[in-house]
Amino acid sequence: MAASARRLCHIAFHVPAKQSLTRDLQRLFGFQLLAAREADGWRQLALRSGDAIFLVNEGAGPGEPLYGLDLRHAVPSAANLCFDVDDAAAAARALTAQGCSIPFPPVRVQDVHGAAIYAVVNSPVSNLSLTLLERAGYCGPFLPGFGPVPSVPGPGWVSHVDHLTLACTPGSSPTLMHWFQDCLGFRHLPLSPGEDPEVGLKVTAGVGCGGLRLTALQPPIGSAAPTLVLAESLPGADSRADQVEQFLVRHQGPGLQHVGLYTLDIMEATEGVTAAGGQLLTPPEAYYQQPGKEGQILAAGHKPSLLAQQGILLDGNEGKFLLQVFTKSLFPEDTFFLELIQRQGATGFGQGNIRALWQSVQEQAARSHKA
């Protein structure tokens, strides 16, 4: 029996004290401070844009940060996914029965706004823990133990988390897929007709150049949790490490590679991010010269020159389109990044865009290697 994840409460990051993540989320991506807590050697700051909430845990106290674990990962990282559940104690029992390790059994936290119960579970993705949170009826600004902070309303570019992409070690996707199915109730989401869930979708970057293996998981029926995407490298003759392999090395293991943030107006969002100083990943120039690409962009109601100016990728057909743009890393270690995504009827992840992103990152890596 799975512990059904009802929705994503927040994504937690562990960073050194005075690291710039909180400031960058506010200044570059329009997040606003929601709540804060300072105790036990930790400074915990919750930031919000729409329904997307990031919890930045700064420092490294002698105890555990509230609502998570300190796994002492070697580099700054997305360390925890917090999911709402109907009954945290029952969910913990169900996962224990599945053989899961629960280093933090259910505990109740209360303040003047109400109470919450949470438990923390180890996941099979090295540094990534999962929090099961029961908070029905809680009416505070964030969670018990946190106080409100003065903030200026953000620009509202982001409405919610669209998907979470995990960078995985080669060959581990089937094991991770079954874990999220058996333990949290996620279900395989085919990215191509007749896709074998044990194989996933293979996106190649060219003959002998390797590629990506993608496996998507949709949340349980009735859940508002985001889609999970498992990404791993395919072997190839190219000696250069691809972006997943680079992540595994720089991050020192698998983990959350990027978060897809949904925006209702990707042009406004990208213009705002770049105007604030945010850096976006530039696709190859040839991307916009692909046969049929200009007509595809026009059919979606956009101007090719404007999309090219902002580095926005577009994919789709039959009147259903998807637009994406990717940021550069938010950490000096060049690991975690963000994606802005807008959907015009499309439900997939833009396989053609994934290939274009792959090529752009590979070209950037080659230029960096020559430099």
Side-chain angles (χ1 to χ4, degrees), residues 165-176 198-199 201-203 210-215 229-235 242-245 248 257 358:
T165 296
L166 302 175
C168 310
T169 54
S172 66
S173 293
T175 298
L176 295 179
E198 298 293 329
V199 176
L201 172 69
K202 294 183 178 181
V203 180
L212 286 175
R213 171 184 178 179
L214 302 174
T215 306
V229 181
L230 309 177
E232 66 175 69
S233 299
L234 294 174
D242 60 58
Q243 69 264 41
V244 173
E245 291 173 330
L248 295 176
Q257 184 204 39
W358 178 279

Side-chain angles (χ1 to χ4, degrees), residues 92-367:
R93 289 194 297 270
L95 294 186
T96 298
Q98 292 280 359
C100 296
S101 171
I102 303 183
F104 207 98
V107 61
R108 179 183 176 92
V109 184
Q110 187 170 351
D111 63 18
V112 296
H113 301 289
I117 300 173
Y118 77 95
V120 185
V121 182
N122 283 333
S123 87
V125 184
S126 66
N127 76 307
L128 193 66
S129 63
L130 304 176
T131 296
L132 310 175
L133 177 70
E134 178 187 343
R135 56 170 177 173
Y138 183 74
C139 58
F142 176 50
L143 290 173
F146 284 76
V149 292
S151 63
V152 178
W157 297 325
V158 172
S159 63
H160 62 277
V161 174
D162 181 86
H163 62 276
L164 306 167
T165 296
L166 302 175
C168 310
T169 54
S172 66
S173 293
T175 298
L176 295 179
M177 176 188 67
H178 288 297
W179 192 90
F180 281 104
Q181 286 178 333
D182 296 341
C183 296
L184 292 181
F186 280 77
R187 300 165 292 138
H188 176 240
L189 174 63
L191 296 177
S192 62
E195 177 185 315
D196 183 347
E198 298 293 329
V199 176
L201 172 69
K202 294 183 178 181
V203 180
T204 58
V207 178
C209 294
L212 286 175
R213 171 184 178 179
L214 302 174
T215 306
L217 296 168
Q218 57 189 324
I221 296 174
S223 169
T227 300
L228 296 178
V229 181
L230 309 177
E232 66 175 69
S233 299
L234 294 174
D238 194 329
S239 61
R240 294 192 305 269
D242 60 58
Q243 69 264 41
V244 173
E245 291 173 330
Q246 290 174 353
F247 177 94
L248 295 176
V249 172
R250 294 167 178 168
H251 184 259
Q252 299 187 31
L256 184 62
Q257 184 204 39
H258 77 267
V259 173
L261 298 174
Y262 192 86
T263 177
L264 295 173
D265 190 335
I266 199 167
M267 285 300 302
E268 178 186 13
T270 54
E271 288 171 358
V273 169
T274 53
Q279 295 183 310
L280 303 177
L281 193 64
T282 303
E285 293 182 6
Y287 173 84
Y288 300 98
Q289 279 76 52
Q290 294 179 86
K293 180 57 67 175
E294 180 177 356
Q296 186 185 43
I297 294 174
L298 292 172
H302 300 278
K303 294 182 178 180
S305 60
L306 293 181
L307 263 61
Q309 182 180 352
Q310 296 296 335
I312 297 172
L313 307 171
L314 182 142
D315 200 18
N317 52 51
E318 299 180 352
K320 296 181 180 181
F321 302 97
L322 176 149
L323 298 96
Q324 301 165 290
V325 67
F326 300 85
T327 75
K328 293 188 178 180
S329 176
L330 273 62
F331 294 137
E333 290 77 10
D334 195 18
T335 52
F336 177 81
F337 60 91
L338 296 175
E339 171 188 347
L340 296 174
I341 182 169
Q342 178 184 338
R343 298 181 182 275
Q344 296 178 196
T347 57
F349 294 92
Q351 285 82 326
N353 288 346
I354 294 171
R355 184 175 293 107
L357 171 65
W358 178 279
Q359 293 169 341
S360 68
V361 173
Q362 293 298 84
E363 291 181 4
Q364 182 182 9
R367 291 193 296 269

